[in-house]
């Protein structure tokens, strides 16, 4: 039976976005990158305030925030915040440094979860994030927890950042990943954790093609 709602969760740099986008394309599903939504909120906070920012300042941008995910003709995701294309701007180190703090605020999560559930209503969706299987879509037809060793995740992120023109040290990225894992796993609301009924996929020793094939098989089994 093909599953119509698929949830993929896992820590930073596990390859979720890359793999989820490819799997969604292969299966003909809509891909929803929920990390991009939290990043869009963090970007908006940085437009208004200079770090360090308070929880009140973060909450203040929620009133009139409008986040839209769409796809261009090459199936690349476009993220718009109040009409501005922020697809590239949400991937900067400044946004990355702030996003865990933003994602730990309950008002932010309530708003994002509401938007995500509304998006999932159209069926045939593949959503990735940290709390999709545990909180956003607890009734998903298939839940996958994608992970890899910290070293491998840091190497992958470093390669990705280099391709985008950033000259970043792998050790720095590793430190950032460990700090984000800590923050995401230990926050009070919807911490990152494998849902009891999620299938664990450790991709440390796997190629992208192997991971993709494994997920497509799980979706079609
Ligand atoms: O996957 P990513 O690196 O783009 O995610 C950005 C941040 O957003 C990450 O620190 C965790 C948070 N996040 C979350 O708390 N819940 C989600 N469903 C998705 C992302």
């Amino acid at each position: 039976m093909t599953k119509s709602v698929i949830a993929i969760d896992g820590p930073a740099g596990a390859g979720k976005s890359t793999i989820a986008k490819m799997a969604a394309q292969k299966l003909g599903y809509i891909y929803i990158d929920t990390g991009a939504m939290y990043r869009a909120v963090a970007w908006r906070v940085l437009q208004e305030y200079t770090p360090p920012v308070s929880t009140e300042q973060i909450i203040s941008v929620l009133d009139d925030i409008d986040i839209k995910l769409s796809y261009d003709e090459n199936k690349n995701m476009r993220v718009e915040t109040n009409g501005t294309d922020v697809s590239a701007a949400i991937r900067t180190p400044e946004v990355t440094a702030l996003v865990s703090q933003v994602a730990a605020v309950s008002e932010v999560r309530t708003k994002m979860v509401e938007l995500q559930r509304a998006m999932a209503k159209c069926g045939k969706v593949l959503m990735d994030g940290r709390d999709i299987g545990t909180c956003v879509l607890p009734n998903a037809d298939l839940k996958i927890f994608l992970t890899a060793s910290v070293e491998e995740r840091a190497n992958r992120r470093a390669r990705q950042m280099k391709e985008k023109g950033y000259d970043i040290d792998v050790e720095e990225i590793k430190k950032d990943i460990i700090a984000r894992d800590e923050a995401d796993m230990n926050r009070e609301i919807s911490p990152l954790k494998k849902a009891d009924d999620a299938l664990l996929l450790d991709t440390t020793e796997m190629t992208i093609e192997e991971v993709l094939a494994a997920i497509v098989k799980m979706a079609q089994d």
Side-chain angles (χ1 to χ4, degrees), residues 16-22 24-25 29-35 69 71 75 77 91 124-128:
K16 292 187 304 296
S17 319
T18 311
I19 297 292
K21 184 178 161 191
M22 291 168 85
Q25 241 176 61
Y29 284 27
I30 290 173
Y31 166 49
I32 300 169
D33 174 353
T34 62
L69 303 185
Y71 296 88
K75 300 257 186 327
M77 192 178 65
R91 307 285 167 195
K124 297 241 171 205
V125 291
L126 192 157
M127 193 177 280
D128 82 353

mmCIF file with all atom_site columns, all heavy atoms in Angstrom, residues 16-22 24-25 29-35 69 71 75 77 91 124-128:
data_model
loop_
_atom_site.group_PDB
_atom_site.id
_atom_site.type_symbol
_atom_site.label_atom_id
_atom_site.label_alt_id
_atom_site.label_comp_id
_atom_site.label_asym_id
_atom_site.label_entity_id
_atom_site.label_seq_id
_atom_site.pdbx_PDB_ins_code
_atom_site.Cartn_x
_atom_site.Cartn_y
_atom_site.Cartn_z
_atom_site.occupancy
_atom_site.B_iso_or_equiv
_atom_site.pdbx_formal_charge
_atom_site.auth_seq_id
_atom_site.auth_comp_id
_atom_site.auth_asym_id
_atom_site.auth_atom_id
_atom_site.pdbx_PDB_model_num
ATOM 1   N N   . LYS A 1 16  ? 18.127 15.114 5.617   1.00 0.00 ? 16  LYS A N   1
ATOM 2   C CA  . LYS A 1 16  ? 16.666 15.082 5.457   1.00 0.00 ? 16  LYS A CA  1
ATOM 3   C C   . LYS A 1 16  ? 16.181 15.868 4.240   1.00 0.00 ? 16  LYS A C   1
ATOM 4   O O   . LYS A 1 16  ? 15.448 15.331 3.430   1.00 0.00 ? 16  LYS A O   1
ATOM 5   C CB  . LYS A 1 16  ? 15.968 15.649 6.701   1.00 0.00 ? 16  LYS A CB  1
ATOM 6   C CG  . LYS A 1 16  ? 16.089 14.818 7.935   1.00 0.00 ? 16  LYS A CG  1
ATOM 7   C CD  . LYS A 1 16  ? 15.226 15.372 9.046   1.00 0.00 ? 16  LYS A CD  1
ATOM 8   C CE  . LYS A 1 16  ? 15.506 16.826 9.383   1.00 0.00 ? 16  LYS A CE  1
ATOM 9   N NZ  . LYS A 1 16  ? 16.840 17.108 9.912   1.00 0.00 ? 16  LYS A NZ  1
ATOM 10  N N   . SER A 1 17  ? 16.616 17.137 4.152   1.00 0.00 ? 17  SER A N   1
ATOM 11  C CA  . SER A 1 17  ? 16.078 17.979 3.073   1.00 0.00 ? 17  SER A CA  1
ATOM 12  C C   . SER A 1 17  ? 16.427 17.421 1.699   1.00 0.00 ? 17  SER A C   1
ATOM 13  O O   . SER A 1 17  ? 15.561 17.313 0.826   1.00 0.00 ? 17  SER A O   1
ATOM 14  C CB  . SER A 1 17  ? 16.606 19.405 3.172   1.00 0.00 ? 17  SER A CB  1
ATOM 15  O OG  . SER A 1 17  ? 16.619 19.822 4.482   1.00 0.00 ? 17  SER A OG  1
ATOM 16  N N   . THR A 1 18  ? 17.705 17.062 1.516   1.00 0.00 ? 18  THR A N   1
ATOM 17  C CA  . THR A 1 18  ? 18.135 16.530 0.219   1.00 0.00 ? 18  THR A CA  1
ATOM 18  C C   . THR A 1 18  ? 17.333 15.293 -0.143  1.00 0.00 ? 18  THR A C   1
ATOM 19  O O   . THR A 1 18  ? 16.757 15.179 -1.225  1.00 0.00 ? 18  THR A O   1
ATOM 20  C CB  . THR A 1 18  ? 19.635 16.133 0.295   1.00 0.00 ? 18  THR A CB  1
ATOM 21  O OG1 . THR A 1 18  ? 20.343 17.223 0.854   1.00 0.00 ? 18  THR A OG1 1
ATOM 22  C CG2 . THR A 1 18  ? 20.191 15.738 -1.043  1.00 0.00 ? 18  THR A CG2 1
ATOM 23  N N   . ILE A 1 19  ? 17.289 14.354 0.793   1.00 0.00 ? 19  ILE A N   1
ATOM 24  C CA  . ILE A 1 19  ? 16.641 13.070 0.541   1.00 0.00 ? 19  ILE A CA  1
ATOM 25  C C   . ILE A 1 19  ? 15.124 13.220 0.430   1.00 0.00 ? 19  ILE A C   1
ATOM 26  O O   . ILE A 1 19  ? 14.499 12.638 -0.455  1.00 0.00 ? 19  ILE A O   1
ATOM 27  C CB  . ILE A 1 19  ? 16.965 12.084 1.704   1.00 0.00 ? 19  ILE A CB  1
ATOM 28  C CG1 . ILE A 1 19  ? 18.470 11.811 1.751   1.00 0.00 ? 19  ILE A CG1 1
ATOM 29  C CG2 . ILE A 1 19  ? 16.153 10.823 1.619   1.00 0.00 ? 19  ILE A CG2 1
ATOM 30  C CD1 . ILE A 1 19  ? 19.001 11.034 0.592   1.00 0.00 ? 19  ILE A CD1 1
ATOM 31  N N   . ALA A 1 20  ? 14.556 14.024 1.334   1.00 0.00 ? 20  ALA A N   1
ATOM 32  C CA  . ALA A 1 20  ? 13.096 14.172 1.341   1.00 0.00 ? 20  ALA A CA  1
ATOM 33  C C   . ALA A 1 20  ? 12.628 14.795 0.029   1.00 0.00 ? 20  ALA A C   1
ATOM 34  O O   . ALA A 1 20  ? 11.617 14.380 -0.540  1.00 0.00 ? 20  ALA A O   1
ATOM 35  C CB  . ALA A 1 20  ? 12.655 15.026 2.527   1.00 0.00 ? 20  ALA A CB  1
ATOM 36  N N   . LYS A 1 21  ? 13.392 15.770 -0.456  1.00 0.00 ? 21  LYS A N   1
ATOM 37  C CA  . LYS A 1 21  ? 13.018 16.433 -1.713  1.00 0.00 ? 21  LYS A CA  1
ATOM 38  C C   . LYS A 1 21  ? 13.058 15.419 -2.864  1.00 0.00 ? 21  LYS A C   1
ATOM 39  O O   . LYS A 1 21  ? 12.138 15.345 -3.680  1.00 0.00 ? 21  LYS A O   1
ATOM 40  C CB  . LYS A 1 21  ? 14.011 17.570 -1.962  1.00 0.00 ? 21  LYS A CB  1
ATOM 41  C CG  . LYS A 1 21  ? 13.684 18.385 -3.163  1.00 0.00 ? 21  LYS A CG  1
ATOM 42  C CD  . LYS A 1 21  ? 14.686 19.520 -3.315  1.00 0.00 ? 21  LYS A CD  1
ATOM 43  C CE  . LYS A 1 21  ? 14.647 20.028 -4.737  1.00 0.00 ? 21  LYS A CE  1
ATOM 44  N NZ  . LYS A 1 21  ? 15.738 20.923 -5.050  1.00 0.00 ? 21  LYS A NZ  1
ATOM 45  N N   . MET A 1 22  ? 14.123 14.608 -2.892  1.00 0.00 ? 22  MET A N   1
ATOM 46  C CA  . MET A 1 22  ? 14.255 13.624 -3.972  1.00 0.00 ? 22  MET A CA  1
ATOM 47  C C   . MET A 1 22  ? 13.166 12.553 -3.877  1.00 0.00 ? 22  MET A C   1
ATOM 48  O O   . MET A 1 22  ? 12.578 12.148 -4.884  1.00 0.00 ? 22  MET A O   1
ATOM 49  C CB  . MET A 1 22  ? 15.639 12.965 -3.911  1.00 0.00 ? 22  MET A CB  1
ATOM 50  C CG  . MET A 1 22  ? 16.766 13.896 -4.274  1.00 0.00 ? 22  MET A CG  1
ATOM 51  S SD  . MET A 1 22  ? 18.364 13.181 -3.849  1.00 0.00 ? 22  MET A SD  1
ATOM 52  C CE  . MET A 1 22  ? 18.670 12.198 -5.289  1.00 0.00 ? 22  MET A CE  1
ATOM 53  N N   . ALA A 1 24  ? 10.232 12.801 -2.482  1.00 0.00 ? 24  ALA A N   1
ATOM 54  C CA  . ALA A 1 24  ? 8.926  13.376 -2.812  1.00 0.00 ? 24  ALA A CA  1
ATOM 55  C C   . ALA A 1 24  ? 8.765  13.463 -4.330  1.00 0.00 ? 24  ALA A C   1
ATOM 56  O O   . ALA A 1 24  ? 7.712  13.137 -4.872  1.00 0.00 ? 24  ALA A O   1
ATOM 57  C CB  . ALA A 1 24  ? 8.779  14.762 -2.178  1.00 0.00 ? 24  ALA A CB  1
ATOM 58  N N   . GLN A 1 25  ? 9.834  13.868 -4.993  1.00 0.00 ? 25  GLN A N   1
ATOM 59  C CA  . GLN A 1 25  ? 9.787  13.977 -6.449  1.00 0.00 ? 25  GLN A CA  1
ATOM 60  C C   . GLN A 1 25  ? 9.510  12.626 -7.093  1.00 0.00 ? 25  GLN A C   1
ATOM 61  O O   . GLN A 1 25  ? 8.692  12.480 -7.976  1.00 0.00 ? 25  GLN A O   1
ATOM 62  C CB  . GLN A 1 25  ? 11.131 14.502 -6.947  1.00 0.00 ? 25  GLN A CB  1
ATOM 63  C CG  . GLN A 1 25  ? 11.010 15.829 -7.672  1.00 0.00 ? 25  GLN A CG  1
ATOM 64  C CD  . GLN A 1 25  ? 12.354 16.370 -8.061  1.00 0.00 ? 25  GLN A CD  1
ATOM 65  O OE1 . GLN A 1 25  ? 13.075 15.735 -8.812  1.00 0.00 ? 25  GLN A OE1 1
ATOM 66  N NE2 . GLN A 1 25  ? 12.710 17.524 -7.541  1.00 0.00 ? 25  GLN A NE2 1
ATOM 67  N N   . TYR A 1 29  ? 4.951  13.396 -4.622  1.00 0.00 ? 29  TYR A N   1
ATOM 68  C CA  . TYR A 1 29  ? 4.340  14.010 -3.448  1.00 0.00 ? 29  TYR A CA  1
ATOM 69  C C   . TYR A 1 29  ? 4.769  15.464 -3.322  1.00 0.00 ? 29  TYR A C   1
ATOM 70  O O   . TYR A 1 29  ? 5.777  15.868 -3.894  1.00 0.00 ? 29  TYR A O   1
ATOM 71  C CB  . TYR A 1 29  ? 4.810  13.291 -2.163  1.00 0.00 ? 29  TYR A CB  1
ATOM 72  C CG  . TYR A 1 29  ? 4.167  11.955 -1.918  1.00 0.00 ? 29  TYR A CG  1
ATOM 73  C CD1 . TYR A 1 29  ? 3.686  11.192 -2.968  1.00 0.00 ? 29  TYR A CD1 1
ATOM 74  C CD2 . TYR A 1 29  ? 4.045  11.460 -0.635  1.00 0.00 ? 29  TYR A CD2 1
ATOM 75  C CE1 . TYR A 1 29  ? 3.104  9.958  -2.730  1.00 0.00 ? 29  TYR A CE1 1
ATOM 76  C CE2 . TYR A 1 29  ? 3.467  10.231 -0.394  1.00 0.00 ? 29  TYR A CE2 1
ATOM 77  C CZ  . TYR A 1 29  ? 2.999  9.483  -1.444  1.00 0.00 ? 29  TYR A CZ  1
ATOM 78  O OH  . TYR A 1 29  ? 2.432  8.276  -1.217  1.00 0.00 ? 29  TYR A OH  1
ATOM 79  N N   . ILE A 1 30  ? 4.030  16.214 -2.528  1.00 0.00 ? 30  ILE A N   1
ATOM 80  C CA  . ILE A 1 30  ? 4.447  17.580 -2.214  1.00 0.00 ? 30  ILE A CA  1
ATOM 81  C C   . ILE A 1 30  ? 5.412  17.495 -1.046  1.00 0.00 ? 30  ILE A C   1
ATOM 82  O O   . ILE A 1 30  ? 5.144  16.804 -0.054  1.00 0.00 ? 30  ILE A O   1
ATOM 83  C CB  . ILE A 1 30  ? 3.226  18.445 -1.832  1.00 0.00 ? 30  ILE A CB  1
ATOM 84  C CG1 . ILE A 1 30  ? 2.387  18.675 -3.083  1.00 0.00 ? 30  ILE A CG1 1
ATOM 85  C CG2 . ILE A 1 30  ? 3.678  19.777 -1.219  1.00 0.00 ? 30  ILE A CG2 1
ATOM 86  C CD1 . ILE A 1 30  ? 1.090  19.373 -2.796  1.00 0.00 ? 30  ILE A CD1 1
ATOM 87  N N   . TYR A 1 31  ? 6.538  18.199 -1.176  1.00 0.00 ? 31  TYR A N   1
ATOM 88  C CA  . TYR A 1 31  ? 7.538  18.182 -0.108  1.00 0.00 ? 31  TYR A CA  1
ATOM 89  C C   . TYR A 1 31  ? 7.392  19.433 0.754   1.00 0.00 ? 31  TYR A C   1
ATOM 90  O O   . TYR A 1 31  ? 7.390  20.554 0.237   1.00 0.00 ? 31  TYR A O   1
ATOM 91  C CB  . TYR A 1 31  ? 8.940  18.114 -0.725  1.00 0.00 ? 31  TYR A CB  1
ATOM 92  C CG  . TYR A 1 31  ? 10.038 18.420 0.257   1.00 0.00 ? 31  TYR A CG  1
ATOM 93  C CD1 . TYR A 1 31  ? 10.065 17.792 1.502   1.00 0.00 ? 31  TYR A CD1 1
ATOM 94  C CD2 . TYR A 1 31  ? 11.046 19.326 -0.031  1.00 0.00 ? 31  TYR A CD2 1
ATOM 95  C CE1 . TYR A 1 31  ? 11.059 18.073 2.420   1.00 0.00 ? 31  TYR A CE1 1
ATOM 96  C CE2 . TYR A 1 31  ? 12.054 19.607 0.874   1.00 0.00 ? 31  TYR A CE2 1
ATOM 97  C CZ  . TYR A 1 31  ? 12.046 18.985 2.099   1.00 0.00 ? 31  TYR A CZ  1
ATOM 98  O OH  . TYR A 1 31  ? 13.022 19.268 3.013   1.00 0.00 ? 31  TYR A OH  1
ATOM 99  N N   . ILE A 1 32  ? 7.291  19.242 2.046   1.00 0.00 ? 32  ILE A N   1
ATOM 100 C CA  . ILE A 1 32  ? 7.191  20.387 2.958   1.00 0.00 ? 32  ILE A CA  1
ATOM 101 C C   . ILE A 1 32  ? 8.372  20.365 3.934   1.00 0.00 ? 32  ILE A C   1
ATOM 102 O O   . ILE A 1 32  ? 8.495  19.466 4.767   1.00 0.00 ? 32  ILE A O   1
ATOM 103 C CB  . ILE A 1 32  ? 5.848  20.383 3.731   1.00 0.00 ? 32  ILE A CB  1
ATOM 104 C CG1 . ILE A 1 32  ? 4.692  20.462 2.705   1.00 0.00 ? 32  ILE A CG1 1
ATOM 105 C CG2 . ILE A 1 32  ? 5.774  21.567 4.700   1.00 0.00 ? 32  ILE A CG2 1
ATOM 106 C CD1 . ILE A 1 32  ? 3.330  20.200 3.294   1.00 0.00 ? 32  ILE A CD1 1
ATOM 107 N N   . ASP A 1 33  ? 9.242  21.363 3.768   1.00 0.00 ? 33  ASP A N   1
ATOM 108 C CA  . ASP A 1 33  ? 10.454 21.493 4.580   1.00 0.00 ? 33  ASP A CA  1
ATOM 109 C C   . ASP A 1 33  ? 10.123 22.399 5.769   1.00 0.00 ? 33  ASP A C   1
ATOM 110 O O   . ASP A 1 33  ? 10.125 23.623 5.647   1.00 0.00 ? 33  ASP A O   1
ATOM 111 C CB  . ASP A 1 33  ? 11.538 22.112 3.679   1.00 0.00 ? 33  ASP A CB  1
ATOM 112 C CG  . ASP A 1 33  ? 12.825 22.435 4.419   1.00 0.00 ? 33  ASP A CG  1
ATOM 113 O OD1 . ASP A 1 33  ? 12.862 22.305 5.656   1.00 0.00 ? 33  ASP A OD1 1
ATOM 114 O OD2 . ASP A 1 33  ? 13.790 22.841 3.753   1.00 0.00 ? 33  ASP A OD2 1
ATOM 115 N N   . THR A 1 34  ? 9.804  21.796 6.908   1.00 0.00 ? 34  THR A N   1
ATOM 116 C CA  . THR A 1 34  ? 9.347  22.610 8.040   1.00 0.00 ? 34  THR A CA  1
ATOM 117 C C   . THR A 1 34  ? 10.488 23.400 8.680   1.00 0.00 ? 34  THR A C   1
ATOM 118 O O   . THR A 1 34  ? 10.258 24.439 9.283   1.00 0.00 ? 34  THR A O   1
ATOM 119 C CB  . THR A 1 34  ? 8.642  21.760 9.125   1.00 0.00 ? 34  THR A CB  1
ATOM 120 O OG1 . THR A 1 34  ? 9.582  20.818 9.645   1.00 0.00 ? 34  THR A OG1 1
ATOM 121 C CG2 . THR A 1 34  ? 7.435  21.046 8.566   1.00 0.00 ? 34  THR A CG2 1
ATOM 122 N N   . GLY A 1 35  ? 11.734 22.916 8.520   1.00 0.00 ? 35  GLY A N   1
ATOM 123 C CA  . GLY A 1 35  ? 12.893 23.671 9.024   1.00 0.00 ? 35  GLY A CA  1
ATOM 124 C C   . GLY A 1 35  ? 12.960 25.029 8.341   1.00 0.00 ? 35  GLY A C   1
ATOM 125 O O   . GLY A 1 35  ? 13.294 26.045 8.974   1.00 0.00 ? 35  GLY A O   1
ATOM 126 N N   . LEU A 1 69  ? 5.404  28.435 0.993   1.00 0.00 ? 69  LEU A N   1
ATOM 127 C CA  . LEU A 1 69  ? 6.342  27.543 0.310   1.00 0.00 ? 69  LEU A CA  1
ATOM 128 C C   . LEU A 1 69  ? 5.763  27.249 -1.065  1.00 0.00 ? 69  LEU A C   1
ATOM 129 O O   . LEU A 1 69  ? 4.595  26.908 -1.184  1.00 0.00 ? 69  LEU A O   1
ATOM 130 C CB  . LEU A 1 69  ? 6.495  26.210 1.059   1.00 0.00 ? 69  LEU A CB  1
ATOM 131 C CG  . LEU A 1 69  ? 6.939  26.230 2.523   1.00 0.00 ? 69  LEU A CG  1
ATOM 132 C CD1 . LEU A 1 69  ? 7.150  24.807 3.028   1.00 0.00 ? 69  LEU A CD1 1
ATOM 133 C CD2 . LEU A 1 69  ? 8.224  27.023 2.707   1.00 0.00 ? 69  LEU A CD2 1
ATOM 134 N N   . TYR A 1 71  ? 7.027  26.020 -5.439  1.00 0.00 ? 71  TYR A N   1
ATOM 135 C CA  . TYR A 1 71  ? 8.070  25.344 -6.222  1.00 0.00 ? 71  TYR A CA  1
ATOM 136 C C   . TYR A 1 71  ? 8.182  25.966 -7.593  1.00 0.00 ? 71  TYR A C   1
ATOM 137 O O   . TYR A 1 71  ? 7.159  26.270 -8.217  1.00 0.00 ? 71  TYR A O   1
ATOM 138 C CB  . TYR A 1 71  ? 7.744  23.847 -6.328  1.00 0.00 ? 71  TYR A CB  1
ATOM 139 C CG  . TYR A 1 71  ? 7.785  23.215 -4.963  1.00 0.00 ? 71  TYR A CG  1
ATOM 140 C CD1 . TYR A 1 71  ? 6.656  23.207 -4.160  1.00 0.00 ? 71  TYR A CD1 1
ATOM 141 C CD2 . TYR A 1 71  ? 8.979  22.726 -4.444  1.00 0.00 ? 71  TYR A CD2 1
ATOM 142 C CE1 . TYR A 1 71  ? 6.703  22.705 -2.869  1.00 0.00 ? 71  TYR A CE1 1
ATOM 143 C CE2 . TYR A 1 71  ? 9.026  22.228 -3.163  1.00 0.00 ? 71  TYR A CE2 1
ATOM 144 C CZ  . TYR A 1 71  ? 7.890  22.218 -2.382  1.00 0.00 ? 71  TYR A CZ  1
ATOM 145 O OH  . TYR A 1 71  ? 7.944  21.743 -1.110  1.00 0.00 ? 71  TYR A OH  1
ATOM 146 N N   . LYS A 1 75  ? 11.420 22.483 -9.846  1.00 0.00 ? 75  LYS A N   1
ATOM 147 C CA  . LYS A 1 75  ? 11.041 21.833 -8.583  1.00 0.00 ? 75  LYS A CA  1
ATOM 148 C C   . LYS A 1 75  ? 11.894 22.324 -7.405  1.00 0.00 ? 75  LYS A C   1
ATOM 149 O O   . LYS A 1 75  ? 12.005 21.653 -6.387  1.00 0.00 ? 75  LYS A O   1
ATOM 150 C CB  . LYS A 1 75  ? 11.144 20.295 -8.691  1.00 0.00 ? 75  LYS A CB  1
ATOM 151 C CG  . LYS A 1 75  ? 10.242 19.687 -9.757  1.00 0.00 ? 75  LYS A CG  1
ATOM 152 C CD  . LYS A 1 75  ? 9.049  19.081 -9.098  1.00 0.00 ? 75  LYS A CD  1
ATOM 153 C CE  . LYS A 1 75  ? 8.079  18.308 -9.895  1.00 0.00 ? 75  LYS A CE  1
ATOM 154 N NZ  . LYS A 1 75  ? 7.724  18.530 -11.191 1.00 0.00 ? 75  LYS A NZ  1
ATOM 155 N N   . MET A 1 77  ? 12.483 24.590 -4.220  1.00 0.00 ? 77  MET A N   1
ATOM 156 C CA  . MET A 1 77  ? 11.548 25.212 -3.296  1.00 0.00 ? 77  MET A CA  1
ATOM 157 C C   . MET A 1 77  ? 11.824 26.706 -3.141  1.00 0.00 ? 77  MET A C   1
ATOM 158 O O   . MET A 1 77  ? 12.977 27.118 -3.053  1.00 0.00 ? 77  MET A O   1
ATOM 159 C CB  . MET A 1 77  ? 11.634 24.543 -1.932  1.00 0.00 ? 77  MET A CB  1
ATOM 160 C CG  . MET A 1 77  ? 10.492 24.962 -1.022  1.00 0.00 ? 77  MET A CG  1
ATOM 161 S SD  . MET A 1 77  ? 10.564 24.130 0.555   1.00 0.00 ? 77  MET A SD  1
ATOM 162 C CE  . MET A 1 77  ? 12.071 24.790 1.216   1.00 0.00 ? 77  MET A CE  1
ATOM 163 N N   . ARG A 1 91  ? 19.339 30.469 4.725   1.00 0.00 ? 91  ARG A N   1
ATOM 164 C CA  . ARG A 1 91  ? 20.411 29.463 4.897   1.00 0.00 ? 91  ARG A CA  1
ATOM 165 C C   . ARG A 1 91  ? 21.717 30.093 5.369   1.00 0.00 ? 91  ARG A C   1
ATOM 166 O O   . ARG A 1 91  ? 22.747 29.412 5.388   1.00 0.00 ? 91  ARG A O   1
ATOM 167 C CB  . ARG A 1 91  ? 20.669 28.731 3.571   1.00 0.00 ? 91  ARG A CB  1
ATOM 168 C CG  . ARG A 1 91  ? 19.438 28.128 2.919   1.00 0.00 ? 91  ARG A CG  1
ATOM 169 C CD  . ARG A 1 91  ? 18.961 26.870 3.600   1.00 0.00 ? 91  ARG A CD  1
ATOM 170 N NE  . ARG A 1 91  ? 17.627 26.495 3.136   1.00 0.00 ? 91  ARG A NE  1
ATOM 171 C CZ  . ARG A 1 91  ? 16.854 25.620 3.763   1.00 0.00 ? 91  ARG A CZ  1
ATOM 172 N NH1 . ARG A 1 91  ? 17.273 25.020 4.856   1.00 0.00 ? 91  ARG A NH1 1
ATOM 173 N NH2 . ARG A 1 91  ? 15.660 25.345 3.307   1.00 0.00 ? 91  ARG A NH2 1
ATOM 174 N N   . LYS A 1 124 ? -0.957 13.193 0.036   1.00 0.00 ? 124 LYS A N   1
ATOM 175 C CA  . LYS A 1 124 ? 0.276  12.934 -0.724  1.00 0.00 ? 124 LYS A CA  1
ATOM 176 C C   . LYS A 1 124 ? 1.360  13.959 -0.388  1.00 0.00 ? 124 LYS A C   1
ATOM 177 O O   . LYS A 1 124 ? 1.831  14.704 -1.251  1.00 0.00 ? 124 LYS A O   1
ATOM 178 C CB  . LYS A 1 124 ? -0.019 12.953 -2.224  1.00 0.00 ? 124 LYS A CB  1
ATOM 179 C CG  . LYS A 1 124 ? -0.984 11.867 -2.643  1.00 0.00 ? 124 LYS A CG  1
ATOM 180 C CD  . LYS A 1 124 ? -0.342 10.932 -3.634  1.00 0.00 ? 124 LYS A CD  1
ATOM 181 C CE  . LYS A 1 124 ? -1.214 9.731  -3.883  1.00 0.00 ? 124 LYS A CE  1
ATOM 182 N NZ  . LYS A 1 124 ? -0.567 8.557  -4.331  1.00 0.00 ? 124 LYS A NZ  1
ATOM 183 N N   . VAL A 1 125 ? 1.684  14.020 0.886   1.00 0.00 ? 125 VAL A N   1
ATOM 184 C CA  . VAL A 1 125 ? 2.734  14.945 1.294   1.00 0.00 ? 125 VAL A CA  1
ATOM 185 C C   . VAL A 1 125 ? 3.850  14.201 2.008   1.00 0.00 ? 125 VAL A C   1
ATOM 186 O O   . VAL A 1 125 ? 3.634  13.168 2.660   1.00 0.00 ? 125 VAL A O   1
ATOM 187 C CB  . VAL A 1 125 ? 2.238  16.058 2.253   1.00 0.00 ? 125 VAL A CB  1
ATOM 188 C CG1 . VAL A 1 125 ? 1.332  17.038 1.561   1.00 0.00 ? 125 VAL A CG1 1
ATOM 189 C CG2 . VAL A 1 125 ? 1.626  15.495 3.491   1.00 0.00 ? 125 VAL A CG2 1
ATOM 190 N N   . LEU A 1 126 ? 5.024  14.735 1.855   1.00 0.00 ? 126 LEU A N   1
ATOM 191 C CA  . LEU A 1 126 ? 6.176  14.234 2.579   1.00 0.00 ? 126 LEU A CA  1
ATOM 192 C C   . LEU A 1 126 ? 6.712  15.443 3.340   1.00 0.00 ? 126 LEU A C   1
ATOM 193 O O   . LEU A 1 126 ? 7.086  16.444 2.732   1.00 0.00 ? 126 LEU A O   1
ATOM 194 C CB  . LEU A 1 126 ? 7.200  13.702 1.578   1.00 0.00 ? 126 LEU A CB  1
ATOM 195 C CG  . LEU A 1 126 ? 8.345  12.888 2.157   1.00 0.00 ? 126 LEU A CG  1
ATOM 196 C CD1 . LEU A 1 126 ? 8.920  11.980 1.086   1.00 0.00 ? 126 LEU A CD1 1
ATOM 197 C CD2 . LEU A 1 126 ? 9.418  13.764 2.726   1.00 0.00 ? 126 LEU A CD2 1
ATOM 198 N N   . MET A 1 127 ? 6.658  15.370 4.657   1.00 0.00 ? 127 MET A N   1
ATOM 199 C CA  . MET A 1 127 ? 7.046  16.513 5.479   1.00 0.00 ? 127 MET A CA  1
ATOM 200 C C   . MET A 1 127 ? 8.266  16.138 6.298   1.00 0.00 ? 127 MET A C   1
ATOM 201 O O   . MET A 1 127 ? 8.303  15.053 6.873   1.00 0.00 ? 127 MET A O   1
ATOM 202 C CB  . MET A 1 127 ? 5.866  16.852 6.401   1.00 0.00 ? 127 MET A CB  1
ATOM 203 C CG  . MET A 1 127 ? 5.994  18.189 7.077   1.00 0.00 ? 127 MET A CG  1
ATOM 204 S SD  . MET A 1 127 ? 4.543  18.575 8.087   1.00 0.00 ? 127 MET A SD  1
ATOM 205 C CE  . MET A 1 127 ? 3.372  19.143 6.897   1.00 0.00 ? 127 MET A CE  1
ATOM 206 N N   . ASP A 1 128 ? 9.265  17.018 6.335   1.00 0.00 ? 128 ASP A N   1
ATOM 207 C CA  . ASP A 1 128 ? 10.417 16.705 7.183   1.00 0.00 ? 128 ASP A CA  1
ATOM 208 C C   . ASP A 1 128 ? 10.643 17.769 8.232   1.00 0.00 ? 128 ASP A C   1
ATOM 209 O O   . ASP A 1 128 ? 10.217 18.907 8.080   1.00 0.00 ? 128 ASP A O   1
ATOM 210 C CB  . ASP A 1 128 ? 11.671 16.405 6.348   1.00 0.00 ? 128 ASP A CB  1
ATOM 211 C CG  . ASP A 1 128 ? 12.399 17.644 5.882   1.00 0.00 ? 128 ASP A CG  1
ATOM 212 O OD1 . ASP A 1 128 ? 11.885 18.748 6.071   1.00 0.00 ? 128 ASP A OD1 1
ATOM 213 O OD2 . ASP A 1 128 ? 13.498 17.500 5.318   1.00 0.00 ? 128 ASP A OD2 1
#
